[in-house]
Amino acid sequence: MAKAEGSVSYVDVGGHRLRLTNLDKVLYPETGTTKAEVIDYYSRVSEAMIAAARDRPATRKRWVSGVGTDAKPGQVFFEKNLPDSAPDWILHRPIQHSGHVNEYPLVNNLATLVWIAQQAALEIHVPQWRFGRNGARKNPDRMVLDLDPGEGAGLAECAEVAKLVRELLQGMGLDPQAVTSGSKGIHLYAALDGKQSSDEISAVAHELARALEADHPDLVVSDMKKTNRTGKVLLDWSQNNGSKTTVVPYSLRGRSRPTVAAPRTWREIASPGLKQLEFGEVLKRLSAKGDLLADLSAGYLLGDSSGEDLAEYRRMRNRSKTPEPFGEVAGSDPSWRPDAASPHFVIQEHHASSLHYDFRLERDGVLVSWAVPKGVPTDPTQNHLAVHVEDHPFDYGTFEGRIPKGEYGAGEVAIWDRGRYELEKWRDGSDGHGEVIFTIHGEKHGSQRLALIQTKQGDNAKNWMLHFMKSQDPVDWDAEGGPVNKVTGDKWHGLASVSTGRKGLGTLKKTVVGSRLPSNSRHPMLATLGAMSGVDRFEGGADWAYEMKWDGIRAIATIDGDEVTFRSRNGLDLTGSYPELAELAQAVASSGRGDAVLDGEIVALDEKGRPNFGTLQKRMGLTTPRDVERARLATPVHFFVFDVLTLGGTSREKEPYAARRALLEKSVKDRGPITVPLDAGDDLATALTTSKQLGLEGVMAKRRDSPYREGKRSRDWIKLKHTLTQEVVVGGWRPGNGNRADSVGSLLVGIPDADGLRYVGRVGTGFTDRQLAELRTRLDGLARKTAPLLDVPSADARDAHWVTPSLVGEVEFAERTPDGRLRAPSWRGWRPDKDPSDVVRELPA
């Protein structure tokens, strides 16, 4: 147990040290629920709860001695003003009341939520409007209707009214979401576009209540007088008043039992068994169903982006001349939706009058932006200048293209990286002391912990610096993944129930689709190309075993219980892109062998049932659930398993290939998309003939007594191909002719060598119409002025457009010329599983 000073405990949350006291105090006597359990609950629902409470002034209802009839006067009270004893890092905003000003905390991070729970504040109440980043009060972004049963009515009557309200709101173009209040009734929320004031929304809600009362006088009442409410449901519209508050979704309630304001589905509302939920039930539901109110926060953000924060951005641009977005509508990319709980970042490479990088963080419905001339630092001793610029609309996060000459920021814009970020601290700089500390999880360049710090260099408040944090993990974790008290080094006992999954205190550790390989992850063994003809022809023999060579992408699969992770050769996380392959866990578990690390190939089959690299292209590079699901139905994939690194916690890498192959066949059962392919026999000639008849790429020859050499290229594995293929790096393109005059005619490609990226030829055939349609946009986003390729002939360079050499593809070719060029190359497809540094010249051993 963590303890530092008697009954006082300390824990680090998001870089803030919190003092926790009386963790064993019982706050709900009927159930024995302690303060430690309350703090634990709030830490586990924090992501969803903060999304519902973010930037709203929070009124807390405190039970100093816990709930119950014996609570003494003064020990149960509402607290609006932030006390002087509160930590100075809690973000707060003032509200003028008659004769005084109160400072209200904003529940914008986990540390603040834990501090509130430490105060025995069981309930948190907020209004339906938010503060903007500049402290101005915004219009409400949601409507709330409180269905409160009078004497003789109950939750069933509230559910009947909820269905009537839903029908009426849907007729108004609103989509209400239900929350059982944790007390007696139901709250209904509907997202708004932020264009009406609180008074206007309150008036609409009042008219709605009156209309339902007129239509259903025996069931609905809109008058607050209790004498009129017997046997009826009060439709309380008044909480839309800008001065009123409602308990925030996921908040505990100060009832006899630890009930919660719990989001519910409409199917549940219609159920005759509807009841209020307690905190344990809510935790299970949140884990299984996710946040049912996620779209409510997204609705706020979409509407908010048209507000005053974008006035400067719009003033600087002519919407009739620039293709840049103006924030009126959301972008078309379904993965790029506003998310207050898990906000986005984007870094755009901007070739304007001078090359710089635009660093943007989602905040309050817009992208707060800095121009960073030297890009993201990777050394904590070297800070990079970051100039704070105007806020950009949220949908700018998907923008790539050319800003016309003469317009503000004229030049090419391309996305360098994007993803999600986790916020530890945000001080906006209005006082000249701005500081933002956060961790980005990029789709291309992985995770980094960074800080933006206002410097006021040269008396310019726009000058900040971007700093690479020396500590890349702000939270200590134990071996089981649980948070550790940094003062004592012990696990904090209040989080015993969340020691796995990392859902409690500290920075959340999430798997990010496309993230890079952790330093302790596994790397596949690599083969050497063998000759199919000539004096150096590979002959094989009794010491060799043969497998078919599958035309897909290599993946290392790690099975840990029911969880499966797939990583590509260059370390990209492929798990979310191929969800059907999660069945691998059952394929191994059915053999009773348990956890494992396996090597194999992800393949897609054509209409003849043969692995086809072109077909697999339709699944590669997809990360959003909607895109993945659509592609999965159209183009299913399979995982062909061909080697074992670890099984049942025991390493098998030093065992000979023949033993590993026998173990594989015993331990992995064919199941759904999981297959252990048959070997190709002992005779090389027969294996090659069979491979060619089946239309496969070739044969893999593996020495029977060879160990698994992780991450090494070895002559113990020889690949024999029917056709010559080569991975290449794209360094430029030439325009086409005829119907391809406005598109890409050919790609200029190279292979890395000791001197740089060596030009090996032009590729102009093998592209599908879809690839051609997408190619120009993709390459325009990588445009650069100088050639990245060495020794490009003047005839090829004459009308070339150069690009940053970051894309890897694969070509098929007839032969190599004496100077190393590829003769008659034809495009096979992109290789997002490879980095340019992975590309080597394929030459026979």
Side-chain angles (χ1 to χ4, degrees), residues 43-363:
S43 74
R44 295 170 69 182
V45 300
S46 60
E47 188 170 352
M49 190 170 180
I50 289 170
R54 180 182 293 278
D55 295 330
R56 304 180 195 273
T59 298
R60 293 86 63 212
K61 190 173 183 180
R62 296 176 60 184
W63 278 262
V64 177
S65 297
V67 303
T69 56
D70 58 345
K72 298 177 181 179
Q75 293 187 329
V76 181
F77 56 93
F78 279 100
E79 186 173 43
K80 297 184 178 183
N81 199 42
L82 193 65
D84 293 338
S85 60
D88 59 7
W89 47 259
I90 292 181
L91 186 62
H92 53 90
R93 296 294 189 199
I95 295 180
Q96 177 69 54
H97 296 277
S98 56
H100 69 282
V101 175
N102 280 341
E103 291 285 343
Y104 288 79
L106 306 184
V107 187
N108 283 18
N109 55 51
L110 176 58
T112 300
L113 186 56
V114 171
W115 177 82
I116 288 174
Q118 156 63 23
Q119 304 299 305
L122 301 179
E123 294 185 6
I124 301 175
H125 296 247
V126 297
Q128 309 317 311
W129 55 268
R130 301 181 185 235
F131 286 109
R133 283 185 300 104
N134 57 6
R137 174 172 154 176
K138 292 180 172 292
N139 285 333
D141 54 81
R142 64 193 187 199
M143 175 193 290
V144 66
L145 295 166
D146 180 7
L147 310 184
D148 186 11
E151 185 179 352
L155 197 56
E157 286 75 17
C158 290
E160 287 300 313
V161 176
K163 290 184 284 186
L164 296 173
V165 174
R166 183 191 189 197
E167 183 177 357
L168 195 55
L169 287 175
Q170 287 179 329
M172 299 167 59
L174 299 176
D175 183 21
Q177 294 170 284
V179 174
T180 46
S181 68
S183 180
K184 296 184 294 180
I186 294 174
H187 296 159
L188 298 179
Y189 289 92
L192 303 173
D193 60 12
K195 295 180 180 178
Q196 289 83 32
S197 68
S198 293
D199 289 343
E200 290 171 321
I201 297 303
S202 187
V204 170
H206 196 180
E207 286 303 314
L208 185 150
R210 285 174 175 168
L212 281 175
E213 182 181 33
D215 291 341
H216 305 277
D218 296 332
L219 183 60
V220 179
V221 62
S222 64
D223 193 324
M224 304 293 175
K225 295 178 182 178
K226 290 189 176 181
T227 55
N228 299 334
R229 294 166 54 184
T230 302
K232 300 179 182 180
V233 174
L234 170 65
L235 205 166
D236 185 357
W237 50 271
S238 68
Q239 293 179 38
N240 295 287
N241 184 304
S243 300
K244 295 291 187 70
T245 62
T246 307
V247 68
V248 70
Y250 295 101
S251 173
L252 285 162
R253 303 305 304 265
R255 311 290 290 180
S256 60
R257 300 180 68 87
T259 52
V260 172
R264 311 298 289 269
T265 67
W266 280 103
R267 184 174 181 178
E268 290 176 302
I269 294 297
S271 170
L274 181 67
K275 66 180 183 67
Q276 303 290 345
L277 298 180
E278 296 185 13
F279 76 104
E281 297 170 295
V282 171
L283 289 174
K284 292 179 181 177
R285 289 165 53 84
L286 187 61
S287 176
K289 299 176 181 291
D291 180 14
L292 297 180
L293 296 185
D295 288 342
L296 189 68
S297 296
Y300 138 69
L301 290 167
L302 286 169
D304 212 36
S305 65
S306 63
E308 70 276 7
D309 290 337
L310 297 178
E312 184 178 2
Y313 172 90
R314 291 170 178 151
R315 179 184 58 79
M316 300 167 70
R317 290 162 177 82
N318 186 333
R319 70 175 66 223
S320 67
K321 295 183 178 180
T322 179
E324 297 166 281
F326 274 72
E328 283 85 358
V329 296
S332 59
D333 185 344
S335 71
W336 191 261
R337 295 191 62 191
D339 190 337
S342 183
H344 299 71
F345 83 92
V346 65
I347 304 171
Q348 287 158 317
E349 187 176 340
H350 193 168
H351 293 264
S353 55
S354 60
L355 171 64
H356 65 275
Y357 294 82
D358 294 317
F359 199 109
R360 312 191 195 281
L361 300 175
E362 176 189 354
R363 182 76 170 174

Side-chain angles (χ1 to χ4, degrees), residues 727-731 748-752 757-761 789 839:
E727 292 163 4
V728 293
V729 181
V730 178
L748 307 181
V749 299
I751 300 173
L757 188 60
R758 185 75 56 183
Y759 179 69
V760 294
L789 298 164
V839 176

Side-chain angles (χ1 to χ4, degrees), residues 402-437:
R402 180 184 295 274
I403 302 173
K405 187 176 181 179
E407 295 303 302
Y408 177 77
E412 293 287 342
V413 177
I415 294 175
W416 186 80
D417 202 0
R418 72 175 194 176
R420 306 280 184 158
Y421 76 93
E422 299 173 52
L423 182 64
E424 297 176 45
K425 180 177 183 180
W426 188 292
R427 190 168 184 172
D428 60 18
S430 57
D431 59 356
H433 301 285
E435 184 178 11
V436 184
I437 301 176

